[in-house]
Amino acid sequence: MTEREFADKYFGKYSIRGSEIIPLYCPFCQGGNNRDKYTFALNYEKHTFNCKRGSCGVAGHFKQLCDKYGVKATLLDKPYEGYKMPERKTYKKPTTPITDLSETGLAYIKKRGITPETAAIFGITSDDKDNLVFPFYRTKDDYENKKPTFIKFRPARKIEKGEDKMWRERDTEPILFGLHLCKPAKRLYICEGEFDCMTIYQATGGGINIVSVPSGAEDFTWVETCAEELKQYTEIVIVGDADAAGQKMANDIYNKFPDKAFLVIDYAKYRGCKDANELAYRYGAEAVGELLISARKREVEGLINISDVVPVDYMQIGRVLTGIPPLDRTLGGMFYGDITIVSGKRGEGKSAFLNQIAVQAVDQGVNVCVYSGE
């Protein structure tokens, strides 16, 4: 039995994202007392499974899952060699001294519309070369004790063409920026840059949980390094940049959290600006508030709201008569654009019936194509 065959037989309702089969409930914990949904994933490429619920956390190889149900596993590409938990990457603690924000750094922060108070809340400092230092703190205690988990740097000036915009202290653990200011709640806002994060925090008076990804739109290491913190939230709002990369980031994050409600902002609310920091600089904090308020649940591609469908006058649509008067009186004929399904048992005349309608259509001057896939 393959993973897909197993899912069809035992999972009931499930979805497929990438190489993962995600059932409505974990087959081991059934979602716990709160009936948490979409926490279990079965990877049909790696032949492994795991549950993201902390109190469950079950993980193993597809063969072990089949053993639980008394069926035989069929692996399509590699033999079972026993499940091995993936090794978690080890990181070092930052060694950059956390000192004070220089006058040059303070001037640049102000130029970007960030107040000294906001910079202090996020712990922004300067290094011995007058670069801005962005420390990433996991907890409030870490912030108070000046023990960051991750550190990034940026020149305290406009970046020249071809120059590195930001860089990190090597081998430190990338986590979400602003995590130490978050309080367990329903909703978490995720943006794409440190200045955007500070801008939104400042514009909302610290009234929302706002964080930034550590290394741009393509790096998702934070999904693993912040796994415990992310469990506290049931909704995620993506406030990505108003460009193709920002919108792709929103879509990628959506695919990584099937168990959470997912909202995206209206990119038109950027008013032609690239990001939240530029929006605040040009139009003020009120415009940032409008951007955040615009967050709506992500639309499912391909679905149409029934209220948006314009009623059609069937008398204005072309049609073909079947030549069977009772059927034509009931259906009005076969309308152009319709899909009609003819079902029945073998040998009951489905093909003969369809061929008769095709002949009637030809007699009415309509072009007909007949195709059989058998």
Side-chain angles (χ1 to χ4, degrees), residues 222-239:
W222 55 270
V223 175
E224 177 183 348
T225 61
C226 298
E228 290 302 314
E229 289 81 5
L230 291 168
K231 289 178 182 178
Q232 300 172 355
Y233 306 96
T234 57
E235 291 183 354
I236 292 179
V237 183
I238 304 302
V239 193

Side-chain angles (χ1 to χ4, degrees), residues 34-52:
N34 295 325
R35 297 288 282 171
D36 296 331
K37 298 178 181 180
Y38 303 112
T39 64
F40 184 90
L42 174 60
N43 191 301
Y44 58 77
E45 289 184 350
K46 299 179 181 178
H47 308 307
T48 58
F49 65 88
N50 73 292
C51 178
K52 297 178 182 178

Side-chain angles (χ1 to χ4, degrees), residues 2-134:
T2 65
E3 283 89 347
R4 185 63 181 268
E5 292 169 341
F6 184 93
D8 289 338
K9 185 171 183 179
Y10 296 110
F11 280 173
K13 183 179 179 181
Y14 68 85
S15 61
I16 296 179
R17 289 184 179 168
S19 60
E20 292 187 333
I21 301 173
I22 304 171
L24 186 63
Y25 296 109
C26 170
F28 291 86
C29 67
Q30 297 300 319
N33 294 332
N34 295 325
R35 297 288 282 171
D36 296 331
K37 298 178 181 180
Y38 303 112
T39 64
F40 184 90
L42 174 60
N43 191 301
Y44 58 77
E45 289 184 350
K46 299 179 181 178
H47 308 307
T48 58
F49 65 88
N50 73 292
C51 178
K52 297 178 182 178
R53 288 188 69 248
S55 57
C56 178
V58 64
H61 193 276
F62 175 53
K63 182 178 183 299
Q64 294 169 297
L65 186 61
C66 287
D67 290 342
K68 172 180 169 63
Y69 283 79
V71 296
K72 184 177 180 180
T74 301
L75 308 183
L76 299 182
D77 56 4
K78 61 182 181 181
Y80 172 60
E81 298 175 348
Y83 178 73
K84 297 180 181 180
M85 287 293 290
E87 293 184 7
R88 183 175 178 131
K89 184 177 178 180
T90 57
Y91 300 94
K92 72 174 188 178
K93 295 294 183 182
T95 58
T96 301
I98 302 300
T99 55
D100 298 317
L101 183 59
S102 69
E103 290 298 322
T104 302
L106 181 59
Y108 183 77
I109 289 285
K110 289 181 177 179
K111 189 175 181 180
R112 295 286 295 264
I114 306 299
T115 66
E117 292 76 17
T118 299
I121 287 171
F122 282 87
I124 309 305
T125 64
S126 301
D127 65 8
D128 56 1
K129 297 180 181 178
D130 223 13
N131 295 306
L132 288 173
V133 176
F134 296 85

Side-chain angles (χ1 to χ4, degrees), residues 177-184 188-189 208-211 232-233:
F177 179 72
L179 203 59
H180 68 288
L181 297 171
C182 295
K183 301 177 180 62
L188 177 69
Y189 292 78
I208 64 174
N209 290 319
I210 176 70
V211 295
Q232 300 172 355
Y233 306 96

